[in-house]
Amino acid sequence: MTPHDEDGYTIDVDPDRIDVDRVHHWLSTDAYWALGREREIVERAIRGSLNFGVYDANGEQVAYARVITDSVTFAWLCDVYVDRRHRGVGIGRRLVAAVRDHLASYKIRRIVLATYDAHSLYAEAGFAPLADPQNWMALIGEG
């Protein structure tokens, strides 16, 4: 998606580059929203999503995000994760901006996400609280 930046990181949407073992480890052991998530669930989620990987100069995956979308009207940004060893250098900010910019060409009407603790990061990319959250509903499943 982007060539190596001056700091050696690149963002790519090639699903074949995703390190499923690494993403599963990150999500199931360190992401508060996915603790204990089974590998098979992670694999199915990756297969059914638009995936964004961030890679260092050696090609090692250092961050991940996925988007669930119909590519026309709606997208859900989720599972945004930056490896702890690579935090604090703006990777998350660049990843979210890359997702936003990639989806801009689709002319999607609404891109949503949920976050417990990263509101300012997403706000920098243009996300804002829902204007009418009382209009939104959810059906919570067992998975």
Coordinates of all heavy atoms in Angstrom, one line a residue, residues 13-100:
V13 N -1.9 -4.0 2.5 CA -3.2 -4.7 2.6 C -3.2 -6.1 2.0 O -4.2 -6.7 1.9 CB -4.3 -3.8 1.9 CG1 -4.6 -2.5 2.7 CG2 -4.1 -3.6 0.5
D14 N -2.0 -6.6 1.7 CA -1.9 -7.9 1.1 C -2.2 -9.0 2.2 O -1.4 -9.1 3.2 CB -0.5 -8.1 0.6 CG -0.3 -9.5 0.0 OD1 -1.2 -10.4 0.1 OD2 0.8 -9.8 -0.5
P15 N -3.3 -9.7 2.1 CA -3.7 -10.7 3.2 C -2.7 -11.8 3.3 O -2.6 -12.4 4.4 CB -5.0 -11.2 2.7 CG -5.1 -10.9 1.2 CD -4.3 -9.7 1.0
D16 N -1.9 -12.1 2.3 CA -0.9 -13.1 2.4 C 0.3 -12.8 3.3 O 1.0 -13.6 3.7 CB -0.4 -13.5 1.0 CG -1.5 -14.2 0.2 OD1 -2.4 -14.8 0.7 OD2 -1.5 -14.0 -1.1
R17 N 0.5 -11.5 3.5 CA 1.6 -11.0 4.4 C 1.2 -11.1 5.9 O 2.1 -11.0 6.7 CB 2.0 -9.6 4.1 CG 2.7 -9.5 2.8 CD 3.3 -8.1 2.6 NE 4.5 -7.9 3.5 CZ 5.1 -6.8 3.6 NH1 4.8 -5.7 2.9 NH2 6.2 -6.7 4.4
I18 N -0.1 -11.2 6.2 CA -0.5 -11.2 7.6 C 0.1 -12.5 8.3 O 0.0 -13.6 7.9 CB -2.0 -11.3 7.8 CG1 -2.6 -10.0 7.1 CG2 -2.4 -11.4 9.2 CD1 -2.2 -8.7 7.7
D19 N 0.8 -12.2 9.5 CA 1.4 -13.2 10.3 C 0.3 -13.7 11.3 O 0.1 -13.1 12.3 CB 2.6 -12.7 11.0 CG 3.3 -13.8 11.8 OD1 2.7 -14.8 12.3 OD2 4.5 -13.6 12.1
V20 N -0.5 -14.7 10.9 CA -1.7 -15.1 11.7 C -1.3 -15.5 13.1 O -2.0 -15.2 14.1 CB -2.4 -16.2 10.9 CG1 -3.6 -16.7 11.8 CG2 -2.9 -15.7 9.6
D21 N -0.2 -16.2 13.2 CA 0.3 -16.6 14.6 C 0.5 -15.4 15.4 O 0.1 -15.3 16.6 CB 1.6 -17.4 14.5 CG 1.4 -18.8 13.9 OD1 0.3 -19.4 14.1 OD2 2.3 -19.3 13.3
R22 N 1.2 -14.4 14.9 CA 1.5 -13.2 15.7 C 0.2 -12.4 16.0 O 0.0 -12.0 17.1 CB 2.4 -12.3 14.8 CG 2.9 -11.1 15.6 CD 4.0 -10.4 14.8 NE 5.1 -11.4 14.8 CZ 6.4 -11.1 14.7 NH1 6.7 -9.8 14.6 NH2 7.3 -12.0 14.8
V23 N -0.7 -12.2 15.0 CA -1.9 -11.5 15.3 C -2.7 -12.2 16.3 O -3.3 -11.6 17.2 CB -2.7 -11.3 14.0 CG1 -4.1 -10.8 14.2 CG2 -2.0 -10.4 13.0
H24 N -2.8 -13.5 16.2 CA -3.6 -14.3 17.2 C -3.0 -14.1 18.6 O -3.7 -13.9 19.6 CB -3.6 -15.8 16.9 CG -4.2 -16.6 18.0 ND1 -3.4 -17.4 18.8 CD2 -5.5 -16.7 18.4 CE1 -4.2 -18.0 19.7 NE2 -5.4 -17.6 19.5
H25 N -1.7 -14.2 18.7 CA -1.0 -14.0 20.0 C -1.3 -12.6 20.6 O -1.7 -12.5 21.7 CB 0.5 -14.2 19.9 CG 1.3 -13.9 21.1 ND1 1.3 -14.7 22.2 CD2 2.0 -12.8 21.5 CE1 2.0 -14.2 23.2 NE2 2.4 -13.0 22.8
W26 N -1.1 -11.6 19.7 CA -1.4 -10.2 20.2 C -2.8 -10.1 20.7 O -3.1 -9.6 21.8 CB -1.3 -9.2 19.1 CG 0.1 -8.9 18.6 CD1 1.3 -9.0 19.4 CD2 0.5 -8.4 17.4 NE1 2.3 -8.6 18.6 CE2 1.9 -8.2 17.4 CE3 -0.2 -8.1 16.2 CZ2 2.6 -7.7 16.3 CZ3 0.5 -7.6 15.1 CH2 1.9 -7.4 15.2
L27 N -3.8 -10.5 19.9 CA -5.2 -10.3 20.3 C -5.6 -11.2 21.5 O -6.2 -10.7 22.4 CB -6.1 -10.6 19.1 CG -6.0 -9.7 17.9 CD1 -6.9 -10.1 16.8 CD2 -6.2 -8.2 18.2
S28 N -5.2 -12.4 21.5 CA -5.7 -13.3 22.5 C -5.0 -13.2 23.9 O -5.5 -13.6 24.9 CB -5.5 -14.8 22.1 OG -4.2 -15.1 21.9
T29 N -3.8 -12.5 23.9 CA -3.1 -12.4 25.1 C -2.9 -11.0 25.6 O -2.6 -10.7 26.8 CB -1.7 -13.0 25.0 OG1 -0.9 -12.3 24.1 CG2 -1.7 -14.5 24.6
D30 N -3.1 -10.0 24.8 CA -2.8 -8.6 25.2 C -3.9 -7.5 24.8 O -3.8 -6.4 25.3 CB -1.5 -8.2 24.6 CG -0.9 -6.9 25.2 OD1 -1.0 -6.8 26.5 OD2 -0.3 -6.1 24.5
A31 N -4.9 -7.9 24.0 CA -5.9 -6.9 23.6 C -7.1 -7.1 24.5 O -7.7 -8.2 24.4 CB -6.2 -7.1 22.1
Y32 N -7.4 -6.1 25.3 CA -8.5 -6.2 26.2 C -9.8 -6.7 25.6 O -10.6 -7.4 26.2 CB -8.7 -4.9 27.0 CG -9.3 -3.8 26.2 CD1 -10.6 -3.6 26.0 CD2 -8.4 -2.8 25.7 CE1 -11.1 -2.6 25.2 CE2 -8.9 -1.8 24.9 CZ -10.2 -1.6 24.7 OH -10.7 -0.6 24.0
W33 N -10.1 -6.4 24.4 CA -11.3 -6.7 23.7 C -11.4 -8.1 23.1 O -12.4 -8.6 22.7 CB -11.6 -5.7 22.6 CG -10.6 -5.7 21.5 CD1 -10.7 -6.5 20.4 CD2 -9.4 -5.0 21.4 NE1 -9.6 -6.3 19.6 CE2 -8.8 -5.4 20.2 CE3 -8.8 -4.1 22.2 CZ2 -7.6 -4.9 19.8 CZ3 -7.6 -3.5 21.8 CH2 -7.0 -3.9 20.6
A34 N -10.2 -8.8 23.1 CA -10.1 -10.1 22.5 C -9.4 -11.2 23.3 O -9.0 -12.2 22.8 CB -9.4 -10.0 21.1
L35 N -9.2 -10.9 24.6 CA -8.5 -11.9 25.4 C -9.1 -13.2 25.3 O -10.3 -13.4 25.4 CB -8.5 -11.4 26.9 CG -7.7 -10.1 27.1 CD1 -7.8 -9.7 28.6 CD2 -6.2 -10.3 26.8
G36 N -8.3 -14.2 25.1 CA -8.7 -15.6 25.0 C -9.3 -16.0 23.6 O -9.8 -17.1 23.5
R37 N -9.3 -15.1 22.7 CA -9.9 -15.4 21.4 C -9.2 -16.6 20.7 O -8.0 -16.6 20.7 CB -9.8 -14.2 20.4 CG -10.6 -14.3 19.1 CD -10.6 -13.1 18.3 NE -11.4 -12.0 18.8 CZ -11.4 -10.8 18.3 NH1 -10.7 -10.5 17.3 NH2 -12.2 -9.9 18.9
E38 N -9.9 -17.5 20.3 CA -9.4 -18.7 19.7 C -8.7 -18.5 18.3 O -9.2 -17.6 17.6 CB -10.4 -19.8 19.6 CG -11.0 -20.3 20.9 CD -12.2 -21.2 20.7 OE1 -12.4 -21.7 19.6 OE2 -12.8 -21.5 21.7
R39 N -7.7 -19.2 18.0 CA -7.0 -19.0 16.8 C -7.9 -19.2 15.6 O -7.9 -18.4 14.6 CB -5.8 -20.0 16.6 CG -5.1 -19.8 15.3 CD -4.0 -20.8 15.1 NE -3.5 -20.8 13.8 CZ -2.6 -20.0 13.3 NH1 -2.0 -19.1 14.0 NH2 -2.3 -20.1 12.0
E40 N -8.8 -20.2 15.6 CA -9.7 -20.4 14.5 C -10.6 -19.2 14.3 O -10.9 -18.9 13.1 CB -10.5 -21.7 14.8 CG -11.4 -22.2 13.6 CD -12.8 -21.7 13.7 OE1 -13.3 -21.4 14.8 OE2 -13.5 -21.6 12.7
I41 N -11.0 -18.5 15.3 CA -11.8 -17.3 15.2 C -11.0 -16.2 14.5 O -11.5 -15.5 13.7 CB -12.4 -16.9 16.6 CG1 -13.3 -18.0 17.2 CG2 -13.1 -15.5 16.5 CD1 -14.5 -18.2 16.4
V42 N -9.8 -16.1 15.0 CA -8.9 -15.0 14.3 C -8.7 -15.3 12.9 O -8.8 -14.4 12.0 CB -7.5 -15.0 15.1 CG1 -6.6 -14.1 14.3 CG2 -7.7 -14.5 16.5
E43 N -8.5 -16.6 12.5 CA -8.3 -17.0 11.1 C -9.5 -16.6 10.3 O -9.4 -16.1 9.2 CB -8.0 -18.5 11.0 CG -6.6 -18.8 11.5 CD -6.4 -20.3 11.5 OE1 -7.4 -21.1 11.3 OE2 -5.3 -20.8 11.8
R44 N -10.7 -17.0 10.8 CA -12.0 -16.7 10.1 C -12.2 -15.2 10.0 O -12.6 -14.7 8.9 CB -13.1 -17.3 10.8 CG -13.2 -18.8 10.6 CD -14.3 -19.5 11.3 NE -15.6 -18.8 11.4 CZ -16.5 -19.0 12.3 NH1 -16.3 -19.9 13.3 NH2 -17.6 -18.4 12.3
A45 N -11.9 -14.4 11.0 CA -12.0 -13.0 11.0 C -11.1 -12.4 9.9 O -11.5 -11.5 9.1 CB -11.7 -12.4 12.3
I46 N -9.9 -12.9 9.8 CA -8.9 -12.4 8.8 C -9.4 -12.7 7.4 O -9.4 -11.8 6.5 CB -7.5 -12.9 9.1 CG1 -6.9 -12.3 10.3 CG2 -6.6 -12.8 7.9 CD1 -5.6 -13.0 10.8
R47 N -9.9 -13.9 7.2 CA -10.4 -14.3 5.9 C -11.6 -13.4 5.4 O -11.8 -13.1 4.2 CB -10.8 -15.7 5.9 CG -9.6 -16.7 5.7 CD -10.1 -18.1 5.4 NE -11.1 -18.6 6.2 CZ -10.9 -19.3 7.3 NH1 -9.6 -19.6 7.7 NH2 -11.9 -19.8 8.1
G48 N -12.4 -13.0 6.4 CA -13.6 -12.2 6.0 C -13.5 -10.7 6.1 O -14.5 -10.0 6.0
S49 N -12.2 -10.2 6.2 CA -12.0 -8.8 6.4 C -11.0 -8.2 5.4 O -10.2 -9.0 4.8 CB -11.5 -8.6 7.8 OG -12.4 -9.0 8.8
L50 N -11.0 -6.9 5.4 CA -9.9 -6.2 4.7 C -8.8 -6.0 5.8 O -9.1 -5.4 6.8 CB -10.4 -4.9 4.2 CG -9.4 -3.9 3.6 CD1 -8.7 -4.5 2.4 CD2 -10.1 -2.6 3.2
N51 N -7.6 -6.5 5.5 CA -6.6 -6.5 6.6 C -5.5 -5.5 6.2 O -5.1 -5.4 5.1 CB -6.0 -7.9 6.7 CG -7.0 -8.9 7.1 OD1 -7.4 -9.0 8.2 ND2 -7.5 -9.6 6.1
F52 N -5.0 -4.8 7.3 CA -3.9 -3.9 7.2 C -2.7 -4.4 8.1 O -3.0 -4.6 9.3 CB -4.3 -2.5 7.6 CG -5.3 -1.9 6.7 CD1 -6.6 -2.2 6.7 CD2 -4.9 -0.9 5.8 CE1 -7.6 -1.7 5.9 CE2 -5.8 -0.3 4.9 CZ -7.2 -0.7 5.0
G53 N -1.6 -4.6 7.5 CA -0.4 -4.9 8.3 C 0.6 -3.8 8.2 O 0.8 -3.2 7.2
V54 N 1.3 -3.6 9.3 CA 2.5 -2.7 9.3 C 3.7 -3.6 9.5 O 3.7 -4.4 10.4 CB 2.4 -1.6 10.4 CG1 3.6 -0.7 10.4 CG2 1.1 -0.9 10.3
Y55 N 4.7 -3.3 8.7 CA 5.9 -4.1 8.7 C 7.2 -3.3 8.8 O 7.2 -2.2 8.3 CB 6.0 -4.9 7.4 CG 4.7 -5.7 7.1 CD1 3.7 -5.2 6.5 CD2 4.6 -7.0 7.7 CE1 2.5 -5.9 6.3 CE2 3.4 -7.7 7.5 CZ 2.4 -7.2 6.8 OH 1.2 -7.9 6.7
D56 N 8.1 -3.8 9.6 CA 9.4 -3.0 9.8 C 10.3 -3.3 8.6 O 9.9 -4.0 7.6 CB 10.1 -3.4 11.1 CG 10.6 -4.8 11.2 OD1 10.7 -5.5 10.2 OD2 11.0 -5.2 12.3
A57 N 11.5 -2.7 8.6 CA 12.4 -2.8 7.4 C 12.8 -4.2 7.1 O 13.2 -4.5 6.0 CB 13.6 -1.9 7.7
N58 N 12.7 -5.1 8.1 CA 13.1 -6.5 7.9 C 11.9 -7.4 7.5 O 12.0 -8.6 7.3 CB 13.6 -7.1 9.2 CG 14.9 -6.4 9.6 OD1 15.8 -6.1 8.8 ND2 15.1 -6.1 10.9
G59 N 10.7 -6.7 7.3 CA 9.5 -7.5 6.9 C 8.7 -8.1 8.0 O 7.7 -8.8 7.8
E60 N 9.1 -7.8 9.3 CA 8.4 -8.4 10.4 C 7.2 -7.5 10.7 O 7.2 -6.3 10.7 CB 9.3 -8.3 11.7 CG 8.7 -8.9 12.9 CD 9.6 -8.8 14.1 OE1 10.8 -8.8 14.0 OE2 9.1 -8.7 15.2
Q61 N 6.1 -8.2 10.9 CA 4.8 -7.5 11.2 C 4.9 -6.9 12.6 O 5.2 -7.6 13.5 CB 3.6 -8.4 11.0 CG 2.3 -7.7 11.2 CD 1.1 -8.5 10.8 OE1 1.2 -9.6 10.3 NE2 -0.1 -7.9 11.0
V62 N 4.5 -5.6 12.7 CA 4.6 -4.9 14.0 C 3.3 -4.3 14.4 O 3.1 -3.8 15.5 CB 5.7 -3.9 14.0 CG1 7.1 -4.5 13.7 CG2 5.4 -2.8 13.0
A63 N 2.3 -4.4 13.5 CA 0.9 -3.8 13.9 C -0.1 -4.4 12.9 O 0.2 -5.0 11.9 CB 0.9 -2.3 13.8
Y64 N -1.3 -4.3 13.3 CA -2.4 -4.9 12.6 C -3.7 -4.1 12.8 O -3.9 -3.5 13.8 CB -2.6 -6.3 13.1 CG -3.8 -7.0 12.4 CD1 -3.8 -7.5 11.1 CD2 -5.0 -7.3 13.1 CE1 -4.8 -8.2 10.5 CE2 -6.1 -7.9 12.6 CZ -6.0 -8.4 11.3 OH -7.1 -9.0 10.7
A65 N -4.6 -4.1 11.8 CA -5.9 -3.6 11.9 C -6.7 -4.3 10.8 O -6.2 -4.7 9.8 CB -6.0 -2.1 11.6
R66 N -8.0 -4.5 11.1 CA -8.9 -5.1 10.1 C -10.2 -4.2 10.0 O -10.6 -3.5 10.9 CB -9.2 -6.5 10.3 CG -10.1 -6.8 11.5 CD -10.1 -8.4 11.7 NE -11.0 -8.7 12.8 CZ -12.3 -8.9 12.7 NH1 -12.9 -9.0 11.5 NH2 -13.0 -9.2 13.8
V67 N -10.8 -4.3 8.8 CA -12.0 -3.6 8.5 C -13.0 -4.6 8.0 O -12.7 -5.4 7.0 CB -11.8 -2.5 7.4 CG1 -13.1 -1.8 7.1 CG2 -10.7 -1.5 8.0
I68 N -14.2 -4.6 8.5 CA -15.3 -5.4 8.0 C -16.1 -4.4 7.2 O -16.6 -3.4 7.7 CB -16.1 -5.9 9.2 CG1 -15.2 -6.8 10.1 CG2 -17.3 -6.7 8.7 CD1 -15.8 -7.0 11.5
T69 N -16.4 -4.7 6.0 CA -17.0 -3.7 5.1 C -17.8 -4.4 3.9 O -17.3 -5.5 3.5 CB -16.1 -2.7 4.6 OG1 -16.8 -1.7 3.8 CG2 -15.0 -3.3 3.7
D70 N -18.8 -3.7 3.4 CA -19.4 -4.1 2.2 C -18.8 -3.4 1.0 O -19.1 -3.6 -0.1 CB -20.9 -3.9 2.2 CG -21.3 -2.5 2.4 OD1 -20.4 -1.6 2.3 OD2 -22.5 -2.2 2.6
S71 N -17.8 -2.5 1.3 CA -17.0 -1.7 0.3 C -17.9 -0.7 -0.4 O -17.4 -0.1 -1.4 CB -16.3 -2.6 -0.7 OG -15.5 -3.5 -0.1
V72 N -19.1 -0.4 0.1 CA -19.9 0.5 -0.5 C -20.5 1.5 0.5 O -20.4 2.7 0.3 CB -21.1 -0.2 -1.3 CG1 -22.0 0.8 -1.9 CG2 -20.5 -1.2 -2.3
T73 N -21.2 1.0 1.5 CA -21.9 1.9 2.4 C -21.4 1.9 3.9 O -21.7 2.9 4.6 CB -23.4 1.6 2.4 OG1 -23.6 0.2 2.9 CG2 -24.0 1.6 1.0
F74 N -20.8 0.9 4.3 CA -20.5 0.8 5.7 C -19.2 0.0 6.0 O -18.8 -0.9 5.2 CB -21.6 -0.1 6.4 CG -21.5 -0.2 7.9 CD1 -21.9 0.9 8.7 CD2 -20.9 -1.3 8.5 CE1 -21.8 0.7 10.1 CE2 -20.8 -1.4 9.8 CZ -21.2 -0.4 10.7
A75 N -18.4 0.5 7.0 CA -17.2 -0.2 7.4 C -17.1 -0.1 8.9 O -17.5 0.9 9.5 CB -16.0 0.4 6.7
W76 N -16.5 -1.2 9.5 CA -16.2 -1.2 10.9 C -14.7 -1.5 11.1 O -14.2 -2.5 10.6 CB -17.0 -2.4 11.5 CG -16.8 -2.6 13.0 CD1 -15.7 -3.3 13.6 CD2 -17.5 -2.2 14.1 NE1 -15.8 -3.3 14.9 CE2 -16.9 -2.6 15.3 CE3 -18.7 -1.5 14.2 CZ2 -17.4 -2.4 16.6 CZ3 -19.3 -1.3 15.5 CH2 -18.6 -1.7 16.6
L77 N -14.1 -0.5 11.7 CA -12.6 -0.7 12.0 C -12.5 -1.4 13.3 O -13.0 -0.9 14.3 CB -12.0 0.7 12.0 CG -10.5 0.8 12.4 CD1 -9.6 -0.1 11.6 CD2 -10.0 2.2 12.4
C78 N -11.7 -2.4 13.3 CA -11.5 -3.2 14.6 C -10.2 -3.8 14.7 O -9.4 -3.8 13.7 CB -12.6 -4.2 14.7 SG -12.8 -5.4 13.4
D79 N -9.9 -4.4 15.8 CA -8.7 -5.2 16.1 C -7.4 -4.4 15.8 O -6.4 -4.9 15.3 CB -8.7 -6.5 15.4 CG -9.7 -7.5 16.0 OD1 -10.1 -7.3 17.1 OD2 -10.0 -8.5 15.3
V80 N -7.4 -3.1 16.0 CA -6.2 -2.3 15.8 C -5.3 -2.6 17.0 O -5.6 -2.4 18.1 CB -6.6 -0.8 15.8 CG1 -5.3 0.1 15.6 CG2 -7.6 -0.5 14.7
Y81 N -4.1 -3.0 16.6 CA -3.1 -3.4 17.6 C -1.7 -3.1 17.1 O -1.3 -3.4 16.0 CB -3.2 -4.9 17.9 CG -2.3 -5.3 19.0 CD1 -2.7 -5.3 20.3 CD2 -0.9 -5.7 18.8 CE1 -1.9 -5.7 21.4 CE2 -0.1 -6.0 19.8 CZ -0.6 -6.0 21.1 OH 0.3 -6.3 22.2
V82 N -0.9 -2.5 18.0 CA 0.5 -2.2 17.7 C 1.4 -3.0 18.7 O 1.1 -2.9 19.9 CB 0.9 -0.7 17.8 CG1 2.3 -0.4 17.6 CG2 0.0 0.1 16.8
D83 N 2.3 -3.7 18.2 CA 3.2 -4.5 19.1 C 3.8 -3.6 20.2 O 4.2 -2.5 19.9 CB 4.3 -5.1 18.3 CG 5.2 -6.1 19.1 OD1 6.0 -5.6 20.0 OD2 5.2 -7.3 18.9
R84 N 3.8 -4.0 21.4 CA 4.3 -3.2 22.5 C 5.7 -2.6 22.3 O 6.1 -1.5 22.7 CB 4.3 -3.9 23.8 CG 2.9 -4.1 24.3 CD 2.8 -4.8 25.7 NE 1.5 -4.8 26.2 CZ 0.9 -3.9 26.8 NH1 1.5 -2.7 27.1 NH2 -0.4 -4.0 27.2
R85 N 6.6 -3.4 21.6 CA 8.0 -2.9 21.3 C 8.0 -1.8 20.3 O 9.1 -1.2 20.2 CB 8.8 -4.1 20.8 CG 8.9 -5.3 21.8 CD 9.6 -6.5 21.1 NE 8.7 -7.0 20.1 CZ 9.0 -7.7 19.0 NH1 10.3 -7.9 18.8 NH2 8.2 -8.1 18.2
H86 N 6.9 -1.5 19.6 CA 6.9 -0.5 18.6 C 6.0 0.6 18.9 O 5.7 1.5 18.0 CB 6.6 -1.2 17.2 CG 7.6 -2.1 16.8 ND1 8.7 -1.8 16.0 CD2 7.8 -3.4 17.0 CE1 9.4 -2.8 15.8 NE2 8.9 -3.9 16.4
R87 N 5.5 0.7 20.1 CA 4.5 1.8 20.4 C 5.3 3.0 20.7 O 6.5 3.0 21.1 CB 3.7 1.4 21.7 CG 2.7 0.3 21.3 CD 1.9 -0.1 22.5 NE 1.1 -1.3 22.1 CZ 0.3 -2.0 22.9 NH1 0.3 -1.6 24.2 NH2 -0.4 -3.0 22.5
G88 N 4.6 4.2 20.6 CA 5.2 5.4 21.0 C 5.9 6.1 19.8 O 6.5 7.2 20.1
V89 N 5.9 5.6 18.6 CA 6.6 6.2 17.5 C 5.6 6.6 16.4 O 6.0 7.0 15.3 CB 7.7 5.3 16.9 CG1 8.8 5.1 18.0 CG2 7.2 4.0 16.4
G90 N 4.3 6.5 16.7 CA 3.3 7.0 15.7 C 2.8 6.0 14.8 O 2.0 6.3 13.8
I91 N 3.1 4.7 15.0 CA 2.6 3.6 14.1 C 1.1 3.5 14.1 O 0.4 3.4 13.1 CB 3.2 2.3 14.4 CG1 4.7 2.3 14.1 CG2 2.6 1.1 13.7 CD1 5.5 1.1 14.6
G92 N 0.5 3.6 15.3 CA -1.0 3.5 15.4 C -1.7 4.6 14.7 O -2.6 4.4 13.9
R93 N -1.1 5.8 14.8 CA -1.7 7.0 14.2 C -1.6 6.8 12.6 O -2.5 7.1 11.9 CB -0.8 8.2 14.6 CG -1.5 9.5 14.5 CD -0.7 10.6 15.3 NE -1.2 10.6 16.7 CZ -0.6 10.1 17.8 NH1 0.6 9.5 17.7 NH2 -1.1 10.2 19.0
R94 N -0.4 6.4 12.2 CA -0.3 6.2 10.7 C -1.1 5.1 10.2 O -1.7 5.2 9.1 CB 1.2 5.9 10.4 CG 2.0 7.2 10.5 CD 3.5 7.0 10.3 NE 3.9 6.0 9.3 CZ 5.0 5.4 9.4 NH1 5.9 5.7 10.3 NH2 5.3 4.5 8.5
L95 N -1.3 4.0 11.0 CA -2.1 2.9 10.6 C -3.6 3.3 10.4 O -4.2 3.0 9.4 CB -2.0 1.8 11.6 CG -2.9 0.5 11.4 CD1 -2.7 -0.1 10.0 CD2 -2.6 -0.5 12.5
V96 N -4.1 4.0 11.4 CA -5.5 4.5 11.3 C -5.7 5.5 10.2 O -6.7 5.4 9.4 CB -5.9 5.1 12.7 CG1 -7.3 5.8 12.6 CG2 -5.9 4.1 13.8
A97 N -4.7 6.4 9.9 CA -4.8 7.3 8.8 C -4.8 6.5 7.5 O -5.5 6.8 6.5 CB -3.7 8.3 8.9
A98 N -4.0 5.5 7.4 CA -3.9 4.7 6.2 C -5.2 3.9 5.9 O -5.7 3.9 4.8 CB -2.7 3.6 6.3
V99 N -5.8 3.4 7.0 CA -7.2 2.8 6.8 C -8.1 3.8 6.3 O -8.9 3.6 5.3 CB -7.6 2.2 8.1 CG1 -9.1 1.8 8.0 CG2 -6.8 1.0 8.6
R100 N -8.2 5.0 6.9 CA -9.1 6.1 6.5 C -8.9 6.4 5.0 O -9.8 6.5 4.2 CB -8.9 7.3 7.4 CG -9.7 8.5 7.0 CD -9.2 9.8 7.5 NE -7.8 10.0 7.0 CZ -6.9 10.7 7.6 NH1 -7.1 11.2 8.8 NH2 -5.7 10.8 7.1

